[in-house]
Each structure stands twice: as structure tokens, then as C-alpha cells.
């Protein structure tokens, strides 16, 4: 091969490499495609107080581009905004009654109808608590031509939960939480960001927690059995680190796609 031939050959190689580099750069800059309907997610997160629902649900929301429907927050928001459902719910609560299943399912349906964040699905937290509620939720979704993908229960020993919660410290204005043992503030009993004092909730004590956990297990057991019979239930060890729990959760959701 002469010098000129070799030079042309090398120029050709350089040209090919430059083309490949350009193509890879464009691919790296490309905006990820929007999630398709196949990637939608409709799930329920079940777990006792302190099991980690508040940590994991926002991750599910952000990673799968769905809405997080925490029914307690939804109820407070509807009451505060004085929506028709909120006004009705407030009357019941002011009279010392329990908000009906119809109102709760109506609030969920309202979110699915009007909250753009729910277009790819939802993670439901705090509902259903009874089998009749589960059946009403199924009926509402069926009318919408939708159905649940999964029901995930965060499993953790009661005694470990009690030790977690009784050590919990809260910065009331922001909702930031700490733990005396597992995640202490930089200075004892003081918020890292504002320097304001931290508080411990009055119901974060052993006696109250035992009663709450007993009630949770008694109430949730039949609901879990209901979803087990439908083949939707998955259990996850919530005593693991939050990152491991997240990996386990994600593998369930991705596996269901």
C-alpha cells in the first residue's frame, strides 16, 4: 500500500469514527421518551405507622410519574378548600361521625379525573382500610376502565416499629423528621436547617402505639386477604434499609409491566 493509499484509508477511518461520535452524542442528549400507557402504575401501599410509606411513596410518585394519593391529606385539603365533598365531610366530622366510604372514594375519583399528575396512574396510601372500601374502590376503577396492578404491604415487627417511632423527632413547621438513634440532628433536639426546637408527637409513646398497631392489624388483615385472593398482594421486608426497600418495590412494579 502506497503512502497516498494509506493516508486515504486513515482519513476514512477518522471519518467513520467522527460519525459514530456524533451519533452517540446526539443519543446522549436525546430527551427520554414519554411514558407510554404500558408503563402506567396503579398501586396501593399498605403498612402500619412508621413502616416507611412516607419515605417510599414519594419515590414511587417521582420515578413512575404518578400521583401520590394520601387519603388523610386529601380529606384535609378538600375540607380546607370547601369543595362539595369537603363541606359534606366536615359536617360529618363536626358531628363526631366517620366520613363515609362513598365520600372517600369520591375524593379519589375527583383526583383521578382532575389531577394531571394522575394521568400515568397513582400510588394510594391510607385507603382502603376495610374490605367494603376495597370493593367500592374496585367498582369505581372498573367504571373508569381501569384496575389495580399491585398491592404492596410493608412488613415489619411491631417492637421494631415502636423503637423507631418513640425516638422520632419532628420539626413542626416543615415536617422534617429525625430520630434520636437512627438519624439524629446535628445538635440535640434542634432542627438542622432553621435551628428551631424539635418536638416529639404526644401520641408517639409506647402505650398509644401498641393500641394503634393492634387496631391496624385487626383492620388490615381482611383487606390483605382480599387482595391476596385476587393475586395482587406482595410483601416486602420494611426492616431493611430504605434503599433496599426501594429496590424491592421497584422490582415489583417493573416486573408487573
Amino acid at each position: 500500500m502506497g503512502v497516498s493509499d494509506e493516508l486515504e484509508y486513515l482519513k476514512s477511518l477518522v471519518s467513520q469514527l467522527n460519525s459514530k461520535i456524533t451519533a452517540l452524542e446526539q443519543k446522549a442528549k436525546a430527551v427520554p421518551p414519554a411514558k407510554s400507557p404500558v408503563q402506567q402504575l396503579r398501586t396501593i401501599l399498605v403498612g402500619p405507622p412508621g413502616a416507611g410509606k412516607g419515605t417510599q411513596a414519594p419515590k414511587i410518585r417521582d420515578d413512575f410519574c404518578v400521583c401520590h394519593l394520601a387519603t388523610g391529606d386529601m380529606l384535609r385539603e378538600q375540607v380546607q378548600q370547601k369543595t362539595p365533598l369537603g363541606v359534606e365531610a366536615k359536617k360529618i366530622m363536626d358531628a363526631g361521625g366517620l366520613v363515609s366510604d362513598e365520600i372517600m372514594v369520591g375524593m379519589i375519583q375527583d383526583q383521578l379525573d382532575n389531577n394531571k399528575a394522575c394521568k400515568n396512574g397513582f400510588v394510594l396510601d391510607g385507603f382502603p382500610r376495610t374490605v367494603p372500601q376495597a370493593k367500592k374502590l374496585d367498582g369505581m376503577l372498573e367504571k373508569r376502565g381501569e384496575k389495580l396492578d399491585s398491592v404492596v404491604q410493608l412488613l415489619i415487627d411491631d417492637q421494631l416499629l415502636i423503637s423507631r417511632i418513640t425516638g422520632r423527632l419532628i420539626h413542626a413547621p416543615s415536617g422534617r423528621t429525625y430520630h434520636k438513634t437512627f438519624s439524629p440532628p446535628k445538635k440535640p433536639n434542634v432542627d438542622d436547617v432553621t435551628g428551631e426546637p424539635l418536638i416529639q408527637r404526644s401520641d408517639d409513646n409506647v402505650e398509644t402505639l401498641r393500641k394503634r398497631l393492634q387496631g391496624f392489624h385487626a383492620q388490615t388483615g381482611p383487606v390483605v386477604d382480599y387482595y391476596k385472593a385476587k393475586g395482587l398482594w406482595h410483601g416486602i421486608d420494611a426492616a431493611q434499609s430504605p434503599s433496599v426497600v426501594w429496590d424491592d418495590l421497584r422490582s415489583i412494579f417493573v416486573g408487573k409491566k
Side-chain angles (χ1 to χ4, degrees), residues 70-243:
T71 50
D73 294 341
M74 286 166 49
L75 182 58
R76 284 186 287 272
E77 184 179 344
Q78 295 265 358
V79 170
Q80 187 176 10
Q81 293 181 355
K82 298 181 179 179
T83 65
L85 285 172
V87 170
E88 191 176 347
K90 189 174 187 301
K91 288 179 183 176
I92 295 169
M93 291 188 292
D94 287 348
L98 294 173
V99 177
S100 70
D101 297 347
E102 286 77 11
I103 290 177
M104 294 307 301
V105 172
M107 287 183 180
I108 295 168
Q109 183 173 349
D110 179 67
Q111 287 292 309
L112 299 184
D113 288 341
N114 300 306
N115 186 345
K116 292 181 180 178
C118 297
K119 66 178 181 178
N120 287 326
F122 58 83
V123 51
L124 191 53
D125 170 7
F127 190 94
R129 295 180 185 272
T130 66
V131 172
Q133 288 178 351
K135 290 180 177 178
K136 287 185 185 298
L137 177 65
D138 283 347
M140 182 269 286
L141 291 174
E142 188 176 348
K143 288 179 183 177
R144 295 172 57 85
E146 301 174 357
K147 61 181 181 179
L148 290 169
D149 298 312
S150 57
V151 175
V152 183
Q153 184 176 9
L154 300 179
L155 303 166
I156 187 167
D157 181 75
D158 284 1
Q159 195 55 48
L160 178 56
L161 264 183
I162 289 170
S163 67
R164 275 187 179 183
I165 296 177
T166 52
R168 186 164 58 181
L169 298 168
I170 300 171
H171 178 244
S174 69
R176 276 186 293 276
T177 59
Y178 302 83
H179 193 279
K180 294 176 183 178
T181 304
F182 306 127
S183 180
K186 294 175 183 176
K187 292 183 180 179
N189 300 312
V190 172
D191 178 51
D192 289 349
V193 179
T194 65
E196 295 171 341
L198 301 174
I199 63 168
Q200 188 165 22
R201 280 175 42 172
S202 59
D203 57 349
D204 282 357
N205 61 76
V206 174
E207 184 180 352
T208 301
L209 285 169
R210 286 196 191 281
K211 290 180 181 177
R212 287 171 66 191
L213 289 169
Q214 286 172 1
F216 171 81
H217 294 311
Q219 195 176 51
T220 307
V223 178
V224 167
D225 290 340
Y226 173 80
Y227 286 121
K228 282 182 177 179
K230 286 178 165 285
L232 294 172
W233 180 87
H234 301 265
I236 286 182
D237 179 5
Q240 305 172 101
S241 70
S243 62

